C-alpha cells in the first residue's frame, strides 16, 4: 500500500512539474494580429559578430539559394531575408481544398549575447480561377479582423489561417534558435 501511495504521489508531482515547465514562447495570431511582434533569444557568451555570423550560416544551411534569399545585411547587426514555403495557407472552398505557398520576409537583429527575430511581411498568391481573379494577399500583423467574424470566431473558410501563420513563423524561429544551440554544443563543427 505504501508503494502504491508513493508511486501515485510521485506521478502526480511529476505531472504537475511537467506542466509548469512546458510553457513555450512563440508567436500567436488572432483577431488582434500577431503577438508578440518579435521574439528575442538570449545566447550567452557570444559577441555581436559571432551572433551575426551564426545567423547568416543558418540561412546558408537552410535555404537552397542563400545569396538570393538574403536581401540585405548591415554591418554585423542585421540580416533581412525572404523565403518561400509551399502549401501554408489552405482553404476549403466549394468542397475542394486549395493550398497556397507563402512568401515571407524576416529581419534578424544581433546584439552581444542575443538576437531579435522579427517578421516583416507575409503573403500568398491566390491564382486566378473561374470564381475569382488572382491576387496577392498580404497578412496584416497589426490586425487579424479580416479572417474573423464579428462574433470573434474565425470565418469557416479561413479557419486554418491563424494556426498556419503561427506554425510557419514559430518553425522558422525554432529552427534558428536550435541552430544556435547546435553551434554552442559543438555539433557539426
Amino acid at each position: 500500500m505504501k508503494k502504491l501511495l508513493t508511486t501515485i504521489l510521485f506521478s502526480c508531482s511529476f505531472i504537475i512539474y511537467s506542466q509548469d515547465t512546458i510553457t513555450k514562447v512563440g508567436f500567436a495570431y488572432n483577431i488582434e494580429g500577431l503577438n508578440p511582434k518579435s521574439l528575442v533569444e538570449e545566447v550567452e557568451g557570444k559577441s555581436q559578430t559571432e551572433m551575426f555570423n551564426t545567423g547568416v550560416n543558418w540561412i546558408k544551411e537552410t535555404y537552397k539559394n542563400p545569396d538570393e534569399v538574403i536581401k540585405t545585411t548591415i554591418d554585423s547587426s542585421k540580416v533581412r531575408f525572404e523565403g518561400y514555403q509551399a502549401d501554408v495557407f489552405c482553404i476549403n472552398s466549394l468542397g475542394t481544398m486549395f493550398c497556397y505557398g507563402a512568401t515571407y520576409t524576416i529581419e534578424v537583429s544581433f546584439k552581444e549575447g542575443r538576437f531579435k527575430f522579427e517578421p516583416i511581411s507575409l503573403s500568398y498568391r491566390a491564382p486566378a480561377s473561374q470564381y475569382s481573379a488572382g491576387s496577392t494577399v498580404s497578412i496584416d500583423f497589426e490586425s487579424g479582423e479580416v479572417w474573423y467574424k464579428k462574433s470573434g470566431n474565425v470565418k469557416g473558410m479561413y479557419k486554418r489561417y491563424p494556426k498556419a501563420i503561427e506554425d510557419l513563423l514559430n518553425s522558422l524561429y525554432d529552427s534558428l534558435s536550435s541552430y544556435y544551440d547546435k553551434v554552442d554544443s559543438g555539433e557539426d563543427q
Side-chain angles (χ1 to χ4, degrees):
M1 183 69 175
K2 276 186 172 180
K3 281 186 176 183
L4 179 62
L5 187 57
T6 304
T7 303
I8 291 171
L9 287 173
F10 178 77
S11 297
C12 288
S13 65
F14 180 76
I15 290 168
I16 291 168
Y17 178 74
S18 296
Q19 289 176 348
D20 287 342
T21 59
I22 299 182
T23 50
K24 183 180 182 302
V25 175
F27 293 104
Y29 191 85
N30 57 34
I31 197 166
E32 296 171 357
L34 185 67
N35 287 302
K37 302 298 183 215
S38 63
L39 293 173
V40 176
E41 176 89 10
E42 300 287 332
V43 181
E44 291 184 31
K46 297 281 185 196
S47 70
Q48 181 174 332
T49 302
E50 290 172 315
M51 296 292 296
F52 175 82
N53 290 337
T54 301
V56 170
N57 286 341
W58 171 76
I59 293 170
K60 289 178 178 179
E61 289 186 26
T62 302
Y63 294 92
K64 184 177 179 180
N65 297 314
D67 293 334
E68 293 175 21
V69 169
I70 295 173
K71 297 303 175 188
T72 189
T73 59
I74 300 173
D75 300 326
S76 296
S77 65
K78 278 185 191 178
V79 63
R80 185 176 283 196
F81 64 96
E82 183 178 279
Y84 175 83
Q85 175 87 27
D87 299 332
V88 172
F89 295 102
C90 297
I91 56 174
N92 190 348
S93 178
L94 305 172
T96 304
M97 184 70 70
F98 297 96
C99 292
Y100 309 112
T103 301
Y104 53 85
T105 302
I106 307 292
E107 183 174 278
V108 185
S109 304
F110 305 94
K111 299 227 176 186
E112 189 163 325
R114 68 179 182 216
F115 68 86
K116 180 172 88 169
F117 183 95
E118 182 177 7
I120 302 299
S121 68
L122 177 61
S123 64
Y124 67 93
R125 174 95 179 120
S129 72
Q130 67 187 41
Y131 303 107
S132 68
S135 65
T136 298
V137 179
S138 294
I139 304 301
D140 185 355
F141 291 148
E142 300 302 318
S143 172
E145 288 179 353
V146 71
W147 314 115
Y148 287 82
K149 300 177 189 175
K150 289 182 181 180
S151 65
N153 296 326
V154 180
K155 293 176 183 175
M157 194 163 98
Y158 303 111
K159 67 181 176 185
R160 293 176 180 85
Y161 277 31
K163 183 161 177 13
I165 294 166
E166 293 170 7
D167 289 349
L168 174 64
L169 297 176
N170 287 326
S171 70
L172 290 167
Y173 174 77
D174 290 344
S175 175
L176 178 58
S177 180
S178 296
Y179 189 81
Y180 278 95
D181 292 342
K182 183 174 92 170
V183 168
D184 279 350
S185 69
E187 291 178 38
D188 278 1
Q189 295 293 315

